[in-house]
Amino acid sequence: RGGSMRGKTVIITGANSGLGRAAAAELLRMRARVIMGCRDRARAERAAREIRAEVGERADGAGELVVRELDLASLRSVRAFCHRVLQEESRLDVLINNAGIFQCPYMKTEDGFEMQFGVNHLGHFLLTNLLLGLLKNSAPSRIVVVSSKLYKYGEINFEDLNSEISYNKSFCYSRSKLANILFARELARRLEGTGVTVNSLHPGIVRTNLGRHVNIPLLAKPLFNLVSWAFFKTPLEGAQTSIYLASSPEVEGVSGKYFGDCKEEELLPKAMDDLVARKLWDISEVMVGLLK
């Protein structure tokens, strides 16, 4: 892992809890300027105060934590966030697409998209595209996409991307995570030669509030809690691969790959289907309004 991120600006989505919060604290410790893109501003400000207290203020002024409002379930919010970033920031060295929603009941975003696909894929798709110019101007720069091993159980059904014919919360989460990987690979292909790299990762099974929509029977909760403390990763352990891909000299110039535990891993063929990746890209462009 790189020892210093001094002079570098990093955006992390969903940085007020779990993996994002852990990554924000570590990158601040490495002296980066970290922009926390969060839906709940009050919770984000509280998390920022706690992180500053943990990490400590640096006498040399290096390292900074900035909170900005970003609701990935609203394309209007994504556009407003990016507009502000492009006005205020002279560079962007790393974008970590970390925020996610997991196995929620059927809900729709502000723009009418199924919530998991809308937040986990489409919100980040628009965010990344709107910030690409700044990332290119700041090259060498990096885009880090947090996916999940559960992508293995997903399929891209172009006939029902919005889950209006049928909805299964587990399948739809897996589909959004497969979409993350396909997006990262297609984006890496499009950015060849620009100095901007894109890699995806799975963090492993982590103790975070991501599973808040999962119903565990009351009698099973003590056992589940015991198992999670014994076998699940802490947020800091789960964030190690994100931090590694954001900062390590070892992955400089590496792009279009998939990582776990800070090592490159093999993907299933369906996550390497270039035709599906391109079709998903084209449809996503229309869905978020980048193309009419």
Side-chain angles (χ1 to χ4, degrees), residues 105-220:
Y106 187 74
M107 296 186 282
K108 287 189 174 182
T109 68
E110 180 181 288
D111 305 278
F113 305 126
E114 185 275 311
M115 186 63 73
Q116 296 187 87
F117 189 73
V119 169
N120 299 352
H121 170 61
L122 291 174
H124 282 119
F125 179 89
L126 178 61
L127 176 81
T128 306
N129 273 284
L130 293 179
L131 296 176
L132 272 185
L134 186 57
L135 284 157
K136 287 177 182 175
N137 290 340
S138 309
S141 53
R142 304 180 183 191
I143 299 167
V144 179
V145 179
V146 179
S147 181
S148 165
K149 270 188 175 178
L150 294 175
Y151 86 85
K152 295 175 181 180
Y153 305 104
E155 301 290 342
I156 304 297
N157 177 8
F158 289 110
E159 303 306 312
D160 191 27
L161 278 182
N162 217 29
S163 302
E164 287 170 335
I165 298 171
S166 67
Y167 180 70
N168 176 293
K169 62 184 183 180
S170 300
F171 168 80
C172 286
Y173 178 75
S174 295
R175 177 165 65 189
S176 72
K177 295 289 103 180
L178 175 58
N180 287 158
I181 297 170
L182 291 166
F183 164 60
R185 285 177 53 84
E186 175 63 11
L187 182 58
R189 186 186 70 79
R190 289 169 181 253
L191 290 174
E192 282 176 12
T194 64
V196 184
T197 60
V198 194
N199 292 291
S200 58
L201 69 106
H202 74 84
I205 304 174
V206 187
R207 292 194 300 271
T208 72
N209 66 353
L210 188 67
R212 61 189 176 277
H213 293 294
V214 178
N215 293 319
I216 298 163
L218 196 61
L219 292 173

Side-chain angles (χ1 to χ4, degrees), residues 59-110:
D60 59 7
E64 185 182 4
L65 216 50
V66 180
V67 173
R68 294 285 179 263
E69 197 170 315
L70 171 63
D71 182 358
L72 289 155
S74 163
L75 299 183
R76 178 175 46 84
S77 175
V78 174
R79 290 180 186 279
F81 172 85
C82 292
H83 179 72
R84 185 167 182 183
V85 167
L86 295 175
Q87 279 192 318
E88 296 179 353
E89 305 299 328
S90 60
R91 63 182 300 108
L92 176 57
D93 300 275
V94 183
L95 171 62
I96 303 179
N97 289 338
N98 164 81
I101 188 164
F102 177 71
Q103 295 192 8
C104 61
Y106 187 74
M107 296 186 282
K108 287 189 174 182
T109 68
E110 180 181 288

Side-chain angles (χ1 to χ4, degrees), residues 75 113 117 122 161-162 282-289 291:
L75 299 183
F113 305 126
F117 189 73
L122 291 174
L161 278 182
N162 217 29
D282 292 343
I283 290 173
S284 299
E285 277 189 317
V286 175
M287 290 177 86
V288 303
L291 281 182

